[in-house]
Amino acid sequence: LYNPTYSESVNSAGPVFADALEWDYTGEYLVYDCFNRINNATGADIEYWDVNFIHVWDNDAREFAGGTIEKLFSSLPDGVSIGNPSFAKNSPYIIAFDYVEEETETYAILGCNIETNEVNIIAENNTLGWPSYNKDDSRIAFTALNGTTDYKTSYITLNGDKISSGSSPVNLYASTKWPVYFATGEREIGDEVITGIPEEPTVRVAMNCYPNPFTLEVSAQLTEP
């Protein structure tokens, strides 16, 4: 991992490790958040999280790509981190992510249209949300604090731009966190339409158990090889 710069062929240090990551639906790019540490010779090191994209696979060439990295934002304000990015299910240019302002302990879930560079606040929060779009991108589910130590799962209804909301969060489940939406359906991948995982045929085997009732030991007799 590296931090790209505006100077051609010049990359800078800083990335320590990646954490949350997700494939886009082309299978070519990973979006991930990265913990960065920049050494400061005159004081405390500068530490922050940001969101990046790495080109992993080239569909046309059918081989690994060059690993080029681009940042969601070229720079962040001091004391601000972003992380836990997640793609919209039907718009590969839409992502949601957590926003954290450390000094004031301000949390929010933001949405970004990476084609237009438009950014909006989807929901204010009180902890990291790990946002997840539902199957038609009409809602985002996220984690929130329920009291001071417990967590809960909430959702918020989205506007048509998928990066903003005009409603308030709705509580779904207590004592839960890290929600992820899934759905059963079809997705076209190249020339193939994936409809699901084929099930193996059910094999029924007769078995007798005796004695019944039993204590300590029971025998099982199979009637099939």
Side-chain angles (χ1 to χ4, degrees):
L1 299 179
Y2 64 88
N3 281 327
T5 69
Y6 289 109
S7 301
E8 187 176 354
S9 301
V10 176
N11 299 321
S12 66
V16 179
F17 59 84
D19 182 40
L21 51 89
E22 189 175 287
W23 288 100
D24 80 332
Y25 296 117
T26 68
E28 291 191 290
Y29 291 87
L30 275 174
V31 62
Y32 65 95
D33 62 8
C34 187
F35 177 68
N36 298 270
R37 180 184 295 119
I38 300 175
N39 295 329
N40 184 1
T42 60
D45 292 344
I46 300 172
E47 297 180 344
Y48 65 97
W49 291 81
D50 67 353
V51 172
N52 305 263
F53 303 89
I54 183 169
H55 192 192
V56 179
W57 184 257
D58 187 324
N59 282 335
D60 292 333
R62 292 183 173 271
E63 63 181 6
F64 286 105
T68 304
I69 292 175
E70 297 181 12
K71 287 185 170 294
L72 179 61
F73 302 114
S74 59
S75 62
L76 295 171
D78 290 342
V80 168
S81 288
I82 58 174
N84 301 318
S86 184
F87 282 108
K89 297 296 191 294
N90 302 281
S91 301
Y93 52 89
I94 299 289
I95 65 169
F97 54 91
D98 278 315
Y99 169 95
V100 183
E101 193 171 332
E102 297 175 4
E103 185 174 345
T104 60
E105 295 187 358
T106 299
Y107 296 89
I109 295 170
L110 272 57
C112 178
N113 184 321
I114 59 180
E115 288 187 342
T116 64
N117 293 323
E118 185 180 2
V119 180
N120 281 316
I121 298 175
I122 295 174
E124 296 180 351
N125 204 4
N126 51 15
T127 189
L128 294 175
W130 293 278
S132 176
Y133 283 90
N134 70 341
K135 66 178 182 179
D136 61 4
D137 298 335
S138 62
R139 294 177 177 177
I140 276 184
F142 61 93
T143 298
L145 273 177
N146 188 13
T148 57
T149 58
D150 195 17
Y151 291 94
K152 62 182 177 181
T153 295
S154 302
Y155 76 83
I156 192 166
T157 303
L158 298 171
N159 295 328
D161 60 10
K162 304 183 182 182
I163 60 172
S164 64
S165 175
S167 60
S168 299
V170 177
N171 294 333
L172 273 176
Y173 308 108
S175 301
T176 57
K177 60 181 179 179
W178 305 336
V180 179
Y181 276 110
F182 290 95
T184 300
E186 298 181 358
R187 182 176 298 280
E188 186 173 338
I189 301 177
D191 297 328
E192 184 179 6
V193 176
I194 306 299
T195 59
I197 300 173
E199 296 183 1
E200 295 293 333
T202 301
V203 178
R204 299 187 181 276
V205 178
M207 181 175 67
N208 296 321
C209 294
Y210 60 88
N212 183 17
F214 71 92
T215 56
L216 299 180
E217 294 182 358
V218 63
S219 296
Q221 182 183 37
L222 299 176
T223 59
E224 301 289 339

